[in-house]
Amino acid sequence: MQEKFNIPQTREEAIERKEELLKKLNQYNEDYFSGNTTYTEEEINLIKEEYDFLDDYVEVDAEFVMEEATEKTFFDKVNIFVWIYALFVFFSGLYFLQQLVGFEVFKVAYTAGLFENISNILKYIGIVSCYVIYPVLLIIISIILKLFAFKKTEEDKKAFKWVFLGQIIYILINFAISYFVVIDMTYQMIKD
């Protein structure tokens, strides 16, 4: 099909040629309905073929130029909310927040009398449970977001997977710091 007509060298030439062919097709249609056909059936078929070819050629060429001009990196392709969530993970997982929330939960449980008349092992499990509630809640939020929010593109899935793995490691490290700074000290204060 391409041998029947010349392929334009530039996109602009292709657009100009398409416009010329469109004018010829419109003229043929007007002449056809008025009974004065200026083109033979063979000529009009050739014009239609060239127009269709140019239509595909210009469309593909335009997409190619657009992709080249706006080539995106992996970080650009990922949904902005994944990066916002990564910042949320960083700040919400800080050890002093884990300590603060855990201590508040412990205070409520202690003033409610939940640590009275139980063995030391149950006190220890109760204290650890008070401090584990916040990190577990953060991980549950992440799992819910993973299941429902960040499933659109392959880049979103990949980025969220790494953010999630980083979050778990980050929370565990901060929990270990909390354990040695606060949890063990709290247990030593209330054990028999």
Side-chain angles (χ1 to χ4, degrees):
M1 181 191 325
Q2 296 175 6
E3 294 82 23
K4 294 180 185 178
F5 38 82
N6 293 331
I7 299 174
Q9 299 298 317
T10 65
R11 185 172 185 273
E12 289 75 24
E13 288 178 15
I15 291 172
E16 284 178 29
R17 182 66 180 151
K18 266 181 68 176
E19 289 173 359
E20 289 173 23
L21 295 172
L22 187 59
K23 285 179 185 176
K24 288 181 180 181
L25 289 170
N26 287 337
Q27 184 63 46
Y28 171 78
N29 288 337
E30 289 175 16
D31 292 346
Y32 181 79
F33 287 112
S34 65
N36 304 334
T37 56
T38 53
Y39 297 105
T40 65
E41 196 68 36
E42 188 176 298
E43 288 174 323
I44 206 64
N45 285 338
L46 187 61
I47 291 171
K48 285 179 183 178
E49 283 181 34
E50 185 177 0
Y51 182 82
D52 290 340
F53 171 75
L54 288 174
D55 196 37
D56 292 338
Y57 177 76
V58 171
E59 191 174 308
V60 170
D61 187 45
E63 288 175 11
F64 177 72
V65 170
M66 188 183 303
E67 284 176 14
E68 247 184 15
T70 60
E71 192 170 316
K72 294 182 175 184
T73 64
F74 173 78
F75 295 103
D76 295 332
K77 293 177 185 176
V78 175
N79 188 330
I80 186 73
F81 292 111
V82 174
W83 303 127
I84 292 171
Y85 178 72
L87 286 173
F88 168 77
V89 164
F90 174 74
F91 289 111
S92 66
L94 291 171
Y95 81 94
F96 66 84
L97 282 176
Q98 289 186 27
Q99 289 178 0
L100 180 68
V101 173
F103 184 71
E104 290 301 318
V105 172
F106 169 73
K107 250 184 6 183
V108 168
Y110 188 76
T111 54
L114 297 178
F115 290 98
E116 296 175 8
N117 302 324
I118 58 172
S119 67
N120 283 339
I121 190 76
L122 289 177
K123 286 180 183 177
Y124 180 77
I125 292 171
I127 292 169
V128 171
S129 298
C130 290
Y131 285 89
V132 166
I133 288 174
Y134 180 68
V136 167
L137 184 64
L138 290 176
I139 291 172
I140 289 171
I141 290 170
S142 296
I143 291 170
I144 290 170
L145 286 174
K146 170 72 174 142
L147 293 175
F148 298 109
F150 302 119
K151 294 176 71 173
K152 297 191 179 194
T153 66
E154 198 60 39
E155 288 84 5
D156 288 347
K157 291 177 188 177
K158 192 174 193 178
F160 188 81
K161 177 182 84 171
W162 288 109
V163 168
F164 182 70
L165 291 174
Q167 175 188 14
I168 290 174
I169 293 168
Y170 185 64
I171 285 174
L172 289 175
I173 290 169
N174 287 322
F175 182 77
I177 294 169
S178 294
Y179 177 81
F180 290 114
V181 174
V182 178
I183 296 173
D184 192 49
M185 182 178 66
T186 306
Y187 172 69
Q188 296 302 328
M189 288 175 28
I190 68 165
K191 75 176 185 176
D192 293 335

